[in-house]
Amino acid sequence: MQDVYFRSSAPLKRLNASKEVILSGGVIGTPQILLKSGIGESSELQAVGVTPVLQLHDVGKNFSDQPAALVSWLVNSNNTID
């Protein structure tokens, strides 16, 4: 059985899952969740008072933004080149 503890307000709550728990916080939130759960670089976790559970060097590293550009045109004709 898997237990998940969370706090949406006081007090601390516990959920039980019979199979698995999938938790995602997006590109920024997921590394934060993993690090606060003790999954990441052990020396960095210990330095901030988090007990390491699993050593994974890459958690929270190599983040890159995904820029997007919107390009639009206004035309006054429906003549197209096929």
Side-chain angles (χ1 to χ4, degrees):
M1 182 132 4
Q2 302 292 322
D3 292 337
V4 176
Y5 294 89
F6 71 98
R7 182 174 313 204
S8 61
S9 62
L12 187 65
K13 297 178 183 177
R14 181 181 77 176
L15 295 175
N16 296 326
S18 60
K19 291 189 177 185
E20 62 187 23
V21 175
I22 299 173
L23 179 63
S24 176
V27 70
I28 294 173
T30 298
Q32 181 182 16
I33 292 167
L34 291 171
L35 292 167
K36 287 184 172 187
S37 299
I39 301 170
E41 181 69 48
S42 295
S43 61
E44 294 176 3
L45 294 172
Q46 289 173 336
V48 294
V50 176
T51 303
V53 175
L54 180 63
Q55 171 77 13
L56 289 178
H57 302 286
D58 294 333
V59 174
K61 307 286 192 282
N62 299 321
F63 172 76
S64 62
D65 198 0
Q66 303 295 319
L70 176 62
V71 180
S72 62
W73 291 270
L74 294 175
V75 295
N76 58 6
S77 171
N78 62 358
N79 293 333
T80 61
I81 299 172
D82 292 327

